[in-house]
Amino acid sequence: MSVPFGPEEIRILLVAAGLFVLGAIGFVTRRNLILLVLSAELMLHGVSLSLVTFGKIHQNSEGQAFTIFVLTVAACEAGLALSLVLSLYRKSHSLDIRLWSELRESDVNPPDQGESLPAAVSTSAYDGIPKLTPAGVAPVGTAGHP
Amino acid sequence: MNSWMQQHPATVLGLVLWAIGLLWLMPGRKSGASRTPRTGVLIAVAGLLSFFAGCGKSNSDLASEVMFWVFATGALGGGVLMISSRNPVYGALWFAIATLCTCGLFMLQSAPFLAAATIIVYAGAVIVTFLFVIMLAQQSGAAGYDQRSQQVWPASLGAFVFLGSMAMVLQSDPPRYERVEIVAAETPAEQPGTMVALDPTKPVIAPQPPAIPNFLSRADSKAPVGSMKGLGRSLFGDYLFAVELAGTLLLVASIGAIAIAPRREEGAL
């Protein structure tokens, strides 16, 4: 049984790759929290389209079954992301992700130093939010080494 | 790589034009009011069409050809306009367009159930709730941070190089993927009429089922690819435990969302 894998499937796979890439660009470049989540959903669309096409190439239903699980996880992710965004918005009254740049690890430079950063949220907003523990071990002889 | 670029000039040209159109449309470091969006849209759409034209001639009939061009252009164009929109409400609506066109591509790939499910989940639930949040949070229109974007050049460069490498692999000549021959694994049939003497010293081993992984997911004439019957057999046959796990995941996620969301006594938005 030969498998149909021709230009039709190749171009659908390329469209899927394009959707994924566009979502990745949006996720990195935009500053609105809602648009970040929507960009992640766009990436999931690309992955779903690839899975469906692979399932058609192999003539079985596994690709579509996986896509249903992707849909499930996307729905969970959307709900969790929405509640997280709401919780962040209640503290900063803005959807700007730059306000939360203090959440990065302490030894990482602030993003895009050429531009003046907006005033970060007050430190009391971080109460109750788990902080990242510093990862790794400081080299011997540095100040951080015990 | 050189031979690929020579054999598929339309793809390379399309990628370059698409990237230029996207960079044109992205909200800039300054206000970006000097750039008219129409030019960027034209460049990006021209790049998209050239990109698809570089994918080779297909043998499908006219109707599915037209549907592919419409849906693919709509999906990718909607994606471009979504990530470059200065107003997040328009961004969410462009995302709806991209979702609808992706569902059209699902239909072309013989997945009607998935198309319907995706439309219901995304258009009915995700986009509506996100639009609610945007309108609740930004009642005065687009904010200043929506007029800016960060790290546009490195992100676009890396992403389009990634896309170009995928196109190169998919369009490579000779193809680097292998055609998968689906062969039904057959159990060695017992010769009828032969008697096998049982050795009382050895344990009796039950006959093993045929070694076909996920045998319920395979398409046949009764349950072709994409039919509800075939998909249901696959989901509730081969992936029954995964379906149960997915239900548990939904429950845990809803509990977590309720736990994270702000309480009423903590103050409304």
Side-chain angles (χ1 to χ4, degrees):
Chain A
M1 180 176 167
S2 72
V3 175
F5 196 123
E8 293 94 357
E9 278 78 22
I10 287 180
R11 63 189 192 184
I12 292 265
L13 288 176
L14 281 177
V15 171
L19 279 175
F20 183 86
V21 156
L22 283 178
I25 294 176
F27 192 82
V28 174
T29 56
R30 294 315 299 266
R31 281 170 59 178
N32 193 315
L33 280 170
I34 302 277
L35 275 179
L36 250 63
V37 180
L38 285 181
S39 300
E41 305 280 346
L42 199 65
M43 292 162 81
L44 284 177
H45 276 331
V47 173
S48 302
L49 194 54
S50 288
L51 283 174
V52 170
T53 311
F54 290 148
K56 195 188 175 201
I57 288 170
H58 286 267
Q59 288 289 309
N60 59 26
S61 304
E62 292 186 19
Q64 301 195 16
F66 278 140
T67 309
I68 287 189
F69 293 121
V70 170
L71 205 62
T72 312
V73 174
C76 295
E77 175 227 329
L80 280 175
L82 201 64
S83 58
L84 275 173
V85 165
L86 277 180
S87 160
L88 291 181
Y89 177 77
R90 200 177 52 82
K91 294 193 173 183
S92 66
H93 292 283
S94 168
L95 290 177
D96 192 0
I97 198 169
R98 285 282 184 89
L99 294 177
W100 298 93
S101 57
E102 293 291 319
L103 277 180
R104 69 187 189 276
E105 289 197 44
S106 54
D107 54 345
V108 178
N109 292 326
D112 205 359
Q113 292 168 318
E115 190 183 349
S116 63
L117 285 174
V121 292
S122 64
T123 50
S124 65
Y126 287 97
D127 291 344
I129 293 181
K131 289 277 291 185
L132 282 179
T133 50
V137 178
V140 181
T142 56
H145 191 261
Chain B
M1 193 168 108
N2 272 327
S3 63
W4 171 71
M5 286 174 134
Q6 284 161 8
Q7 284 171 5
H8 299 90
T11 306
V12 181
L13 178 71
L15 279 175
V16 172
L17 280 181
W18 183 5
I20 291 173
L22 182 69
L23 286 172
W24 184 288
L25 282 172
M26 285 302 272
R29 191 174 284 269
K30 305 189 176 66
S31 70
S34 58
R35 289 178 294 187
T36 50
R38 189 175 299 165
T39 317
V41 171
L42 284 179
I43 295 175
V45 169
L48 283 179
L49 294 179
S50 170
F51 181 66
F52 296 144
C55 294
K57 264 179 76 71
S58 75
N59 304 318
S60 51
D61 54 345
L62 183 66
S64 50
E65 193 75 1
V66 168
M67 282 198 285
F68 168 77
W69 282 76
V70 169
F71 288 142
T73 313
L76 291 178
V80 166
L81 287 171
M82 175 199 124
I83 64 172
S84 63
S85 65
R86 290 179 167 77
N87 192 335
V89 176
Y90 291 158
L93 292 177
W94 282 118
F95 175 73
I97 297 283
T99 302
L100 288 179
C101 291
T102 309
C103 291
L105 291 175
F106 281 171
M107 295 285 278
L108 284 183
Q109 295 304 100
S110 61
F113 174 73
L114 269 180
T118 309
I119 288 178
I120 290 171
V121 169
Y122 277 94
V126 173
I127 295 175
V128 172
T129 48
F130 276 79
L131 276 178
F132 271 137
V133 172
I134 294 172
M135 292 177 177
L136 203 65
Q138 298 186 333
Q139 291 172 355
S140 58
Y145 50 85
D146 283 322
Q147 316 291 333
R148 312 267 178 88
S149 48
Q150 49 188 4
Q151 316 274 356
V152 180
W153 280 92
S156 305
L157 186 68
F160 276 96
V161 165
F162 173 71
L163 185 56
S165 64
M166 290 194 80
M168 195 175 83
V169 171
L170 279 173
Q171 295 175 341
S172 57
D173 190 30
R176 286 185 206 167
Y177 47 83
E178 293 179 0
R179 282 180 180 271
V180 184
E181 297 291 331
I182 299 174
V183 182
E186 289 179 7
T187 50
E190 296 282 341
Q191 291 291 326
T194 54
M195 300 282 286
V196 180
L198 284 179
D199 190 352
T201 59
K202 289 181 182 173
V204 178
I205 302 171
Q208 296 294 316
I212 307 174
N214 296 338
F215 132 88
L216 286 174
S217 298
R218 286 176 54 212
D220 52 23
S221 57
K222 286 179 189 167
V225 177
S227 68
M228 293 282 283
K229 186 178 178 186
L231 190 56
R233 272 166 62 96
S234 174
L235 268 182
F236 295 108
D238 288 332
Y239 296 107
L240 183 60
F241 291 117
V243 168
E244 300 288 336
L245 270 180
T248 316
L249 179 70
L250 277 170
L251 175 70
V252 171
S254 56
I255 293 174
I258 293 170
I260 292 173
R263 296 281 174 285
R264 186 166 292 170
E265 60 264 23
E266 289 177 357
L269 291 171

